[in-house]
Amino acid sequence: MASFATSPGRSLTGHLLVATPALTDPAFARSVIYLCAHTPEDGAMGLVVNRRLSQPVLDDVLEQLGIAPVPPRRRINLCAGGPMDNGRGFVLHTSDWSGDGSLPVDDSTTLTASLDVLRDIADGNGPAHAMLAMGHASWEAGQLEDEMLHHNAWVAAPATEAIVFGPDHNAKWRQALASVRIDPAWFTGAAGHA
């Protein structure tokens, strides 16, 4: 089943990529991924927004990076952003904050890889909403489209602050599917791998 945004040549940047029940790969099963970049010609990069990391905790990460105060004055979600480059952190946040290393994704969301945003957050400031993702997910040119159109592995859904930055990680997958009026029971069969 194709979703609203899978027409050929259309960029899914700024959308959610939602794993269907047909996708059973443990790295991506029931994942909700915010796509930070996507073109059919260049591939895609995104962050899983619904897999909370139990270790390390935010305090440990800030301490390792030498960011004070620890404990921070403000906390944000710490997620497993994907299986690629999982030693590297990315802060996905609302566009009301920008600094060196910030890359606007769309009008409302920005991706920052510098420590400045974490310093501001630890100090109780920074963007209104933010999450720290360790690692990312990526696809080569044409790979994501193949997984969506031929393997029934993913559907695209509109991104909302509640899903991207919300605290209830367990609810995000069903919320994202419901946002495009999809019931997980509709999917059967096998999927490819991401």
Side-chain angles (χ1 to χ4, degrees):
M1 167 181 288
S3 66
F4 76 98
T6 58
S7 60
R10 184 166 178 183
S11 172
L12 297 177
T13 299
H15 286 85
L16 296 176
L17 190 62
V18 187
T20 70
L23 181 56
T24 58
D25 177 342
F28 291 107
R30 298 185 122 208
S31 288
V32 178
I33 298 173
Y34 180 82
L35 285 174
C36 300
H38 170 257
T39 64
E41 302 79 29
D42 297 324
M45 179 272 188
L47 303 174
V48 177
V49 298
N50 69 326
R51 295 229 170 133
R52 185 178 315 255
L53 272 179
S54 58
Q55 292 294 322
V57 295
L58 182 62
D59 293 17
D60 295 341
V61 172
L62 295 176
E63 189 171 353
Q64 289 171 5
L65 295 171
I67 295 175
V70 175
R73 291 188 179 98
R74 180 174 165 216
R75 299 198 178 277
I76 60 173
N77 287 332
L78 178 59
C79 295
M84 307 296 296
D85 207 8
N86 58 15
R88 183 170 181 203
F90 301 90
V91 179
L92 186 65
H93 57 87
T94 49
S95 295
D96 53 344
W97 187 97
S98 183
D100 289 338
S102 291
L103 174 68
V105 176
D106 58 24
D107 291 340
S108 61
T109 311
T110 298
L111 182 68
T112 299
S114 77
L115 297 180
D116 294 339
V117 67
L118 289 175
R119 285 186 187 102
D120 275 1
I121 289 168
D123 206 30
N125 301 307
H129 300 285
M131 61 163 280
L132 172 58
M134 300 305 294
H136 69 279
S138 62
W139 294 262
E140 295 178 1
Q143 182 183 5
L144 179 58
E145 291 75 13
D146 181 60
E147 291 178 14
M148 292 179 80
L149 298 173
H150 299 113
H151 298 284
N152 210 24
W154 304 98
V155 294
T160 65
E161 279 187 11
I163 294 174
V164 175
F165 300 112
D168 189 353
H169 289 0
N170 293 328
K172 290 181 181 188
W173 182 70
R174 286 196 176 276
Q175 290 171 343
L177 287 176
S179 75
V180 287
R181 295 182 172 88
I182 293 177
D183 183 335
W186 294 348
F187 291 88
T188 60
H193 61 279

